[in-house]
Amino acid sequence: MASTSVSRIVPASPDKVWSLIGGFDALPDWLPYIPESTALEGGRVRRLTNPEGEVIIERLVDFNETERHYSYAILQAPFPVNGYVSTIRVHTVPGQENTAEVQWSGRFNPEGATEDEVVDLFTGIYRDGLDALHETLAA
């Protein structure tokens, strides 16, 4: 099983960051790669569409409001992996109440691609996503 993790310091309090990204159906609010999200099954599943019109379906597998994190599994996607589970987590930065650290990590099995290729793919998605989050919060 392969894995990757990206962290980014963002210019907002952990509560403000979580209020933006903590909703499982909130990706279009901060992630340009996902312009559309539809909540299904009472909000436990999200159907995402990327700019190319490809569909990604994900299921919420863990959610913790108090600790500000959630995990999800991909059920269907145009990615060369299976067994994908990812977590988005918001951390406090000691002594900096208007700053937070956001960590996006995932683990997965390559399928039809090398481990390096899928690690690079998701590292890039996480990095670009957290950069977009930073831009949204800095605006």
Side-chain angles (χ1 to χ4, degrees), residues 18 21-25 40-47 57-65 69-75 84-88:
W18 183 247
I21 72 172
F24 187 56
D25 195 35
L40 306 168
E41 296 184 25
R44 305 279 305 164
V45 172
R46 61 187 178 194
R47 182 186 188 277
I57 298 176
E58 300 172 335
R59 175 176 296 282
L60 185 65
V61 295
D62 183 46
F63 183 87
N64 189 311
E65 182 80 29
H69 66 83
Y70 70 81
S71 299
Y72 61 94
I74 289 180
L75 305 179
Y84 177 101
V85 176
S86 183
T87 300
I88 292 181

Side-chain angles (χ1 to χ4, degrees), residues 86-99:
S86 183
T87 300
I88 292 181
R89 194 179 291 277
V90 179
H91 299 283
T92 60
V93 177
Q96 298 183 39
E97 65 183 47
N98 290 314
T99 303

Side-chain angles (χ1 to χ4, degrees), residues 26-48:
L27 287 180
D29 296 341
W30 61 274
L31 188 62
Y33 180 71
I34 302 296
E36 184 181 331
S37 178
T38 304
L40 306 168
E41 296 184 25
R44 305 279 305 164
V45 172
R46 61 187 178 194
R47 182 186 188 277
L48 310 170

